Amino acid sequence: PFDRIFILTFNTEAEADAAINILSKTNGVVFAEKHSQPTMDNDVHYINGDQWYLNNNGANGGVVGADINAEGAWAIYTGNTNNTIAIIDNGVEITHEDLSGKASGDTPVGYSHGTSVAGVAAARANNTLGIRGVDWNAQILSKSVRDSNDNWLGDNVAAQKIVDAVNEGADVLNCSWSSTVNSSTLAVAFAYAYRANRITVATMGNTGVQETRYPGAFPNVMAVGATQNDDTHSPYSTTGTHIDVVAPGGTGSTNEEDIITTTTNNNYLYTSGTSFAAPQVAGLASLLEGYNSNLDNNDIRQIIRLSADDNIVPGHDNQYGFGRINAGRALEFI
């Protein structure tokens, strides 16, 4: 609408104000003003830095870059609505403002664990609300394996839920739970998912010692440990030779150093644990599969391993595995 628009740069606010005063009185100048400097209003907990695990700005004792480099991934790809992440947990509040319209299946029994896991993996982005998930666009399929008293429903029930999730089209399965028991019943179900070319992600556990825990220790499941906002090992995170990678899980202090995510009653909370590191890997696996559907589950597992930031202990080790995941580098690989 104007013949010319000039952009001028000044060293100080005072110089800019003086120039605006002069220009405003000059014939032929319609207006002179400073840039408005708007703030982003989308996904408030992401924009204000609360989701340090996605983009760490160094606040609250954190280290810049001690995150999964989500922005690097999103610059390439933000997900596919045809992809589905199964949350094998205790149910998901499918009406939550950051999950509604993309979540289906079993609703919560007991506390909010499954809802919080789902938010980390795939909460909506750019909807002016709450948080962002790693895969903005993936669908969520909830399968509950616990009762209202938070008791395990049994290996046979969980095995059937895993098989059902595969048969209902889940591309990635997230299991934020673990046990020292090597269950043949569960092993058969996870083998079924593997043979169907699905990616299964599970936790290392929160015991703080070195031990073998399942399903993460099954050879066809990715095992994920946890790190803090300075990229160091979370003290509670179980260690072991079967660990694949780590992702941010927080300190256990339930404050800004932990993982903010969705919770029941349409709310948000800070929480911590390998339970919330695993869905970051599940979200990344979904991004990779959505970007290139020709990748098989072994390809995706290896890309996540090879692209990880192996900054602390070179090579594979029992605390960090192959390193802390780097979503941006993983997408760059393909």
Side-chain angles (χ1 to χ4, degrees), residues 237-280:
S237 183
T238 304
T239 60
T241 57
H242 58 289
I243 186 172
D244 282 278
V245 289
V246 291
T251 64
S253 55
T254 62
N255 62 21
E256 291 85 353
E257 298 175 9
D258 286 334
I259 306 300
I260 191 166
T261 182
T262 46
T263 187
T264 50
N265 299 316
N266 207 36
N267 214 333
Y268 302 86
L269 87 167
Y270 284 102
T271 188
S272 62
T274 56
S275 284
F276 310 103
Q280 295 172 57

Side-chain angles (χ1 to χ4, degrees), residues 7-151:
I7 299 175
L8 307 178
T9 303
F10 299 92
N11 293 322
T12 67
E13 289 285 327
E15 290 178 1
D17 291 337
I20 288 171
N21 184 53
I22 294 170
L23 289 168
S24 297
K25 300 174 183 177
T26 302
N27 290 336
V29 175
V30 178
F31 61 83
E33 63 184 10
K34 288 184 282 191
H35 288 301
S36 58
Q37 303 293 347
T39 59
M40 297 292 289
D41 297 321
N42 275 333
D43 312 316
V44 61
H45 291 296
Y46 180 77
I47 297 299
N48 68 12
D50 289 346
Q51 288 189 272
W52 60 266
Y53 54 99
L54 301 179
N55 184 24
N56 196 329
N57 63 11
N60 301 308
V63 172
V64 173
D67 54 55
I68 69 166
N69 188 19
E71 290 199 345
W74 297 335
I76 299 170
Y77 188 65
T78 58
N80 185 333
T81 56
N82 293 322
N83 265 39
T84 300
I85 302 173
I87 306 298
I88 315 295
D89 213 282
N90 74 332
V92 172
E93 185 174 87
I94 61 178
T95 58
H96 193 288
E97 63 183 11
D98 247 349
L99 305 173
S100 65
K102 67 180 319 185
S104 62
D106 298 336
T107 52
V109 293
Y111 69 118
S112 65
H113 193 267
T115 303
S116 298
V117 169
V120 172
R124 292 189 180 280
N126 296 324
N127 62 345
T128 74
L129 302 168
I131 66 165
R132 295 182 184 182
V134 176
D135 186 330
W136 298 359
N137 292 306
Q139 304 299 301
I140 297 164
L141 176 62
S142 171
K143 295 292 182 183
S144 181
V145 291
R146 306 192 79 85
D147 68 16
S148 58
N149 294 314
D150 197 35
N151 295 314

Side-chain angles (χ1 to χ4, degrees), residues 142-206:
S142 171
K143 295 292 182 183
S144 181
V145 291
R146 306 192 79 85
D147 68 16
S148 58
N149 294 314
D150 197 35
N151 295 314
W152 181 245
L153 290 174
D155 292 1
N156 60 317
V157 174
Q160 188 60 55
K161 297 272 187 172
I162 291 162
V163 170
D164 289 345
V166 172
N167 292 343
E168 292 171 31
D171 302 279
V172 180
L173 286 71
N174 187 93
C175 300
S176 285
W177 38 271
S178 67
S179 167
T180 57
V181 177
N182 183 352
S183 164
S184 297
T185 301
L186 290 176
V188 169
F190 286 115
Y192 178 81
Y194 175 77
R195 289 196 303 271
N197 199 29
R198 305 313 204 267
I199 306 101
T200 302
V201 179
T203 60
M204 283 294 292
N206 299 331

